[in-house]
Each structure stands twice: as structure tokens, then as C-alpha cells.
């Protein structure tokens, strides 16, 4: 019988980097924990006409469903140049599909999705333009008075309202914080695959 060269019952030290006590950055579409708001999380069904890549942290339209389909929740469509009244989130969205070529969970047409309505006061990390990121250095009042935001339907990000962005829907949201690095933000390639990239991200109260 051979002798064991180490004591398997001896308390060992932890592996380096296994227990971080703090971290920086946001994950796009991952709504912040809030006991007072979490019960406002809504569920709906992604409209059958949706053909683009759909993931947490994009603007959508909550529509009244057909009576026969109402048991499944509201009908959810992608935001247009005139309307955006909710934001999809990844919270409780365990059915998102991820693949090696598209590690970000995606939701196909007809699938169940979760979202928060504008006015719910949910805090959601969203992709932002460089103009929004610049507000972090200007002591901008978070009341949003004087600084309007739009949902850029082309780039799926929040932008500052101006003559150049006026072709996008205005959204009554408040910028609470900007994180310039250490984030997981979604980038979609020409094939519709969605990947995580480290880009500026903003925390918004919607």
C-alpha cells in the first residue's frame, strides 16, 4: 500500500483571484436589484414579424395583444423611429439562446421576453453614444431637464437629443452613472451574431 504524499483533509489556501470583493462595470440589459421595483418586471411575446437580433438592453414597444393571445402577455415589437415605451432585460430570461458564434443570449420571434416599462423606475445598464459618455465629465443634472435622450434605433443605444438625432424616439429616462470600461456591451456583426465587447455603458432609471 503506497503512502499518500499530501494530506487531503488539510485546509488549503484559495486560488489566486477566486474571491474578488469588488468589481467595476455593467452588463447591458441586466437590471439592478431593487426589491421595490422587481415586481414590475413584465413578460410578453416577441412579435412574429421581428427579424433582427434581439437581446437584453434594447428598446421595444409594448403592444396590446390579440384577445386569443393575451394569456401569453403583451405583444412586443422592436422600437421604431417614433415609439419606444419599454426596454428588454435579461433578468429571469433563462430561455435566451446562446451559441459559440453568438455568446450573447438572443430571443427569436415568438419567444417569451422580459421587460420594464418606461416610468417603472427600474435601473438598467444600456449602451451609450460618445455624447452621452461625455456627460459624466460635465456635472450634468440627473433630473434630465435640459438634456433630452433618444433611443438610437439604428445603433441600439442611448444618444443625446439634437438635430442630428431627432429622427429617433425621445425617451424620458435619467442617466445615473457612466462606466467607461470593464463593461459587457452587445455588438452585433453583419451575420446577426451578438458578442460581448468592452464599451462605455450608462446606468439609466427608466
Amino acid at each position: 500500500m503506497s503512502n499518500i504524499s499530501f494530506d487531503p483533509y488539510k485546509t488549503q489556501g484559495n486560488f489566486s483571484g477566486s474571491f474578488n470583493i469588488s468589481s467595476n462595470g455593467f452588463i447591458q440589459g441586466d437590471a439592478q436589484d431593487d426589491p421595490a421595483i422587481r415586481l414590475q418586471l413584465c413578460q410578453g411575446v416577441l412579435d412574429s414579424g421581428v427579424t433582427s437580433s434581439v437581446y437584453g438592453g434594447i428598446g421595444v414597444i409594448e403592444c396590446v395583444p390579440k384577445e386569443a393571445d393575451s394569456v401569453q402577455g403583451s405583444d412586443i415589437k422592436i422600437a421604431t423611429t417614433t415609439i419606444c415605451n419599454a426596454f428588454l432585460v435579461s433578468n429571469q430570461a433563462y430561455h435566451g439562446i446562446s451559441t459559440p458564434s453568438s455568446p450573447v443570449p438572443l430571443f427569436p420571434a415568438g419567444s417569451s421576453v422580459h421587460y420594464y416599462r418606461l416610468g417603472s423606475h427600474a435601473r438598467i445598464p444600456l449602451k451609450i453614444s460618445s455624447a452621452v459618455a461625455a456627460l459624466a465629465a460635465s456635472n450634468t443634472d440627473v433630473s434630465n431637464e435640459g438634456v433630452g435622450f433618444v433611443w438610437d434605433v439604428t445603433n441600439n443605444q442611448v444618444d443625446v437629443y439634437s438635430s442630428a438625432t431627432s429622427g429617433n424616439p425621445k425617451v424620458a429616462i435619467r442617466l445615473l452613472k457612466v462606466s467607461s470600461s470593464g463593461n459587457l456591451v452587445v455588438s452585433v456583426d453583419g451575420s446577426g451574431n451578438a458578442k460581448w465587447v468592452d464599451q462605455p455603458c450608462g446606468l439609466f432609471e427608466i
Side-chain angles (χ1 to χ4, degrees):
M1 182 176 178
S2 61
N3 294 326
I4 299 176
S5 60
F6 65 93
D7 183 356
Y9 299 103
K10 182 179 179 180
T11 301
Q12 306 292 322
N14 66 288
F15 296 106
S16 177
S18 298
F19 298 93
N20 293 322
I21 60 174
S22 64
S23 62
N24 294 317
F26 295 113
I27 300 175
Q28 179 181 340
D30 182 19
Q32 305 294 285
D33 292 333
D34 192 330
I37 304 299
R38 65 183 180 85
L39 295 180
Q40 295 192 50
L41 180 66
C42 299
Q43 181 269 336
V45 176
L46 198 59
D47 189 79
S48 60
V50 173
T51 58
S52 58
S53 298
V54 178
Y55 46 86
I58 66 170
V60 295
I61 306 171
E62 179 188 25
C63 305
V64 177
K66 297 178 181 178
E67 185 175 1
D69 301 330
S70 60
V71 69
Q72 301 179 70
S74 298
D75 185 38
I76 304 300
K77 298 182 179 181
I78 302 303
T80 66
T81 55
T82 57
I83 302 175
C84 175
N85 60 22
F87 284 91
L88 289 189
V89 293
S90 54
N91 304 68
Q92 298 187 26
Y94 309 117
H95 46 275
I97 300 172
S98 59
T99 63
S101 59
S102 187
V104 176
L106 297 177
F107 306 99
S111 65
S112 176
V113 290
H114 291 81
Y115 61 96
Y116 280 104
R117 301 181 179 105
L118 290 183
S120 66
H121 299 291
R123 295 173 299 139
I124 307 175
L126 302 172
K127 182 180 178 182
I128 58 176
S129 67
S130 57
V132 176
L135 296 176
S138 61
N139 293 324
T140 303
D141 185 350
V142 298
S143 67
N144 197 23
E145 294 180 6
V147 179
F149 294 110
V150 298
W151 178 249
D152 183 342
V153 297
T154 301
N155 300 303
N156 282 331
Q157 65 184 16
V158 178
D159 204 349
V160 175
Y161 176 79
S162 67
S163 58
T165 63
S166 59
N168 295 289
K170 273 193 169 184
V171 284
I173 58 179
R174 299 197 304 163
L175 177 63
L176 303 178
K177 181 180 179 180
V178 170
S179 175
S180 58
S181 62
N183 308 300
L184 291 178
V185 176
V186 180
S187 175
V188 179
D189 62 23
S191 300
N193 296 317
K195 299 182 179 180
W196 297 114
V197 296
D198 187 354
Q199 292 182 358
C201 191
L203 179 64
F204 292 86
E205 180 185 329
I206 72 169

